[in-house]
Amino acid sequence: MTINSLGSGQSDSYTFTDCQLDTLYVYHTDATWFADTYADHLDFRITLDRCNPVGYFDDSRGLALVVTGGYGSASALSTTRLLGTAIPILFGAPTCRDGTGDAGFFGDVFGALDVSGITLGFDAHAGNNTLAKRLGNRTAAPITLSAYNEGYYQQDYTFNTDYTAMTDAQIINLVNTAWVGFVLSTVNPSLHRYPRILGSESALFNSGAGIAKWSAVAYAAGGWQIRPMATGDPATAFAGIALERIPGGKTGRILREGVMHKTQLAGLSAATIAAGTVLYHSDTTAGQFATTGPRVALSGRAADWAYFKASAGQ
């Protein structure tokens, strides 16, 4: 099943209720895209309500700027915030995600404006979706961008030259060369989203260490709280797969049954998966999966896709 977003700027909905879907996965694409404004190219809210398990794969190409903190002891804290006159030009309305200060769970801020540089429409024309075009020549009209955290550690950058002939990578490198403790990069914000799978997902509190997106979780003592699945846990402790990063002390979404692409399985992005392939919980890295081991986790459904059903809580 293919869903194609075109860049209408509308937030439409697809809801499938009590359906037996004759497909392996739902495929989202922006193959024909017309807008050069916003970076989240998923124009639809997708909900599967009591349907048979199917996968989801997003192949859209939007990119937004993201500033991530936590690099260096001076800024290894849980929040990242932005200041400056460059924000409406480069970020639009930013979204903040707080972390814990632990590696992999630093706070970040990502923008709403597209900087992917993809061509637009049926005639594949260029749009205003690069950093060079959004900045232009700033020699006579400088703008500023500052990143800071809750410890009041702050780094500043002034855009004050002609950027029209620069690549996005060159502009990003200028900022990162000047900053210490924060990193500017790009992210596809559509990949932060996953369809609602009613009947097969839960929102649970993480009482343990940070849980990486696409990793295995187990119930914590007492139930209805989760933690990363440990290398010593039995296979029967498997409670599901995290659909988002879940810092310790935060609540996040987990999927208890589903069909997952190998890039949605921590530790298996480079694995070879075919129908019938048996996949396991990693014995060396908490929360990850492996192609060998004694603790069975998933079974191959087709090339690059695997099915799982959590053991715990069923």
Side-chain angles (χ1 to χ4, degrees), residues 25-266:
Y25 62 96
V26 176
Y27 175 75
H28 173 250
T29 180
D30 62 354
T32 305
W33 184 257
F34 291 88
D36 64 357
T37 49
Y38 56 99
D40 186 350
H41 289 189
L42 180 54
D43 277 344
F44 301 94
R45 297 182 181 276
I46 304 169
T47 301
L48 303 179
D49 185 1
R50 301 186 304 275
C51 300
N52 59 301
V54 296
Y56 175 73
F57 191 85
D58 191 303
D59 200 27
S60 60
R61 298 162 293 163
L63 290 177
L65 288 177
V66 59
V67 176
T68 306
Y71 291 85
S73 59
S75 60
L77 297 169
S78 62
T79 66
T80 298
R81 299 290 186 267
L82 301 178
L83 293 170
T85 52
I87 294 174
I89 296 170
L90 299 180
F91 288 80
T95 298
C96 301
R97 296 194 308 168
D98 292 347
T100 60
D102 301 319
F105 295 91
F106 303 137
D108 61 18
V109 182
F110 61 93
L113 298 180
D114 195 4
V115 294
S116 65
I118 64 172
T119 55
L120 309 172
F122 295 118
D123 60 349
H125 64 274
N128 188 42
N129 55 0
T130 67
L131 289 179
K133 290 183 177 179
R134 293 198 180 279
L135 285 167
N137 188 342
R138 287 288 156 185
T139 304
I143 54 176
T144 61
L145 180 66
S146 299
Y148 69 98
N149 61 25
E150 76 268 35
Y152 301 103
Y153 176 81
Q154 181 170 317
Q155 292 286 282
D156 307 309
Y157 187 81
T158 300
F159 296 94
N160 58 4
T161 190
D162 186 356
Y163 299 93
T164 54
M166 294 187 188
T167 66
D168 283 12
Q170 289 171 328
I171 296 170
I172 289 172
N173 184 62
L174 288 174
V175 178
N176 286 333
T177 299
W179 279 358
V180 175
F182 296 95
V183 170
L184 180 68
S185 58
T186 57
V187 65
N188 183 346
S190 297
L191 301 184
H192 290 158
R193 299 166 62 187
Y194 193 89
R196 291 290 177 185
I197 314 294
L198 302 183
S200 294
E201 72 166 88
S202 301
L204 297 175
F205 180 81
N206 176 16
S207 61
I211 296 171
K213 185 178 182 180
W214 307 134
S215 64
V217 303
Y219 285 112
W224 300 113
Q225 295 185 1
I226 52 173
R227 57 172 174 79
M229 187 154 177
T231 56
D233 284 335
T236 52
F238 183 33
I241 293 175
L243 295 178
E244 57 189 343
R245 72 170 194 174
I246 312 174
K250 305 289 185 179
T251 296
R253 298 170 63 200
I254 69 163
L255 189 64
R256 303 188 306 274
E257 180 182 14
V259 178
M260 312 299 285
H261 189 262
K262 66 180 184 179
T263 58
Q264 300 165 344
L265 297 168

